[in-house]
Amino acid sequence: MKTQLVVSTLLLATAMDVSAGWWRTEQNPTLYADFGTYTFTNPAENTVGTTFERFVVVDIDRQNYTTHCNNGTNLNGAIIPVYVTSDYVNGPPITISGDHYTQVNDYLQASVAYTYNGGRFPVPSVNRQFGVTSEYCNNTAGHVGNTVFSVSVRIAKPFVGFSYIDVPVADFYTGDNAAPLGSGKANGANQRLHLRGRVVVPQNCKINSDVESVIDFGNIPSYAFKVAGIGNKVNGLPKANMPLSIRCNDSIPTNAPLTIRVQADNVGGPGNTIIMSNNPDIGFKISDANDNLLIPNNINSKVNFINTNPAEIVLKAWPVSATGNQPTPGPFQARGYLRIDFD
């Protein structure tokens, strides 16, 4: 019986040690890093594997953080090491030649590192010490100065014109180095980095001389959308033809195989096949000339064509019910974008 009691006491002490620790939560849960516009001037650089690096300064001056402790941890202003653990938001990294990237859009990948006091701490990282600090439990203090991130952008697929980045990329956890990933990660105390920027390449095309195309379908009875059913065209309303004249600059050879596809900021309906309007019950669908549906924001849903400068193609568009409900009467509109790619 004595032996059993001693064993139980040792197990209890071990459990307390494992769960003890400290970590920080940030007043600002999201940091925005904007590297601006980077322009390639040589068409030959628009190829898989081309990279560039930017150091992005993020102002955190006077932003507060709070130090948390658990299970009897008592810091009392002691000078102790501080660690960072980090992960990419979209899962495991893409490792290329020893560097870790995350996919930030259809064309670009990014590798991110936190820098501090001459040190560089790439994402992902586990319990990397980046400095020392004087900490008190359950205390709020303010940052001083800036945080600098190293951002390396890599072309994963050549593109035409420009490519925007506007996505969350990485989570950072700050605190102790308690196994396995630190108390910050164990308690979900992340600060998220959101990356923004624009990359421009020399290859460029214009659709209809860059003049916006507007299609007016006139007056449609609101009940007609309910009768049509979710995702369906209003009965008796013809599809509208969208003639497109596409002219590319000299950086794209004549007879080069290209594609065109549809993008939109707001999509919905079954399979996200509908470009949503400002009326939540109504949207639009787009197809090629042969009525093959084009799914917005899907890089594999496209129309192939040859650069004949100009290339002349036709798409079709029509309004549909997005929910199957009878919409509120009134004007409605939606905006879509056409994207040209290399085939």
Side-chain angles (χ1 to χ4, degrees), residues 1 20 47 78 86 103 109 126 161 179 208 214 226 231-232 260 270 277 305:
M1 294 294 293
T47 188
S86 61
Q103 199 76 32
Q109 298 162 336
V126 176
N208 293 346
V214 179
K226 183 177 182 179
N232 296 327
I260 190 168
S277 75
F305 68 97

Side-chain angles (χ1 to χ4, degrees), residues 241-254:
N241 287 334
M242 299 170 54
L244 306 176
S245 180
I246 303 170
R247 186 177 293 275
C248 301
N249 65 9
D250 292 340
S251 295
I252 299 180
T254 301

Side-chain angles (χ1 to χ4, degrees), residues 21-44:
W22 70 274
W23 66 96
R24 290 177 178 174
T25 57
E26 298 287 342
Q27 174 190 12
N28 186 359
T30 304
L31 296 178
Y32 289 89
D34 191 333
F35 63 81
T37 297
Y38 185 90
T39 302
F40 288 103
T41 57
N42 182 355

Side-chain angles (χ1 to χ4, degrees), residues 1-16:
M1 294 294 293
K2 290 183 179 179
T3 302
Q4 292 177 353
L5 180 60
V6 171
V7 170
S8 297
T9 303
L10 290 175
L11 289 174
L12 179 61
T14 302
M16 290 177 64

